[in-house]
Amino acid sequence: VVLEDLIEINTGNTQYDNEFATWNAFYTVINNCNLVLARAAAVMQEDPSYTEGDYLSDCSPMLALRSLCYFYLVRAYRDVPYTTVAFMNSSQNVDIPQSAPETVLRACVADLEQAEKNAISPLAFADWRRVGYFTRDGIQALLADIYLWLGSVNHSSTDYTKAVEYCDK
């Protein structure tokens, strides 16, 4: 089965039953990010030591990680289901229509621009955390990559210019 799935991938077949072409892991990460984004604000009401600054700096990597997942999905599959809704129980309708790549990536750009405002500095930590967090530099690198990809697909000088701007940051 593994060899058959690899042969199918090699021929361009990315059907749902191919174990190397599943969306499950990406959408699990996306939903976990959506859960944090949906529930983190309520923590401030319960825990006075959890400040708005903590909240904003926690939301930033969630927006970035969700955008990274969507970027990978769009590059691999083109049209993908896009949602920012957190699925908290099995009774919720999980049938989400597919969205065009440009729509998904423009939403990701908006999220990343918001995330950049509150992202932690890459110099914030000197220990293991310096490589374990989605920092401002990582968000800017992801924005540059998305703009570069959009520019190559749309042949847009505006997108190329934005890619260069984020690379310069």
Side-chain angles (χ1 to χ4, degrees), residues 28-73:
T28 297
V29 172
I30 289 167
N31 193 56
N32 287 337
C33 291
N34 288 342
L35 284 166
V36 170
L37 292 166
R39 292 191 167 178
V43 174
M44 287 187 290
Q45 306 301 321
E46 298 292 323
D47 183 0
S49 68
Y50 187 70
T51 66
E52 185 174 356
D54 295 330
Y55 166 73
L56 292 173
S57 67
D58 287 344
C59 288
S60 182
M62 295 302 108
L63 291 168
L65 191 54
R66 181 175 72 188
S67 295
L68 178 66
C69 288
Y70 277 123
F71 182 45
Y72 285 170
L73 285 166

Side-chain angles (χ1 to χ4, degrees), residues 76-133:
Y77 301 105
R78 194 173 153 8
D79 297 341
V80 297
Y82 177 79
T83 185
T84 58
V85 173
F87 293 96
M88 298 186 197
N89 61 55
S90 60
S91 65
Q92 285 178 268
N93 181 12
V94 294
D95 276 344
I96 304 161
Q98 291 184 344
S99 298
E102 177 117 10
T103 304
V104 173
L105 294 180
R106 295 292 175 195
C108 291
V109 164
D111 282 348
L112 289 166
E113 288 174 345
Q114 180 64 38
E116 182 186 17
K117 295 175 189 174
N118 300 303
I120 61 173
S121 165
L123 305 174
F125 302 106
D127 57 8
W128 64 268
R129 293 173 292 180
R130 71 179 175 76
V131 294
Y133 280 79

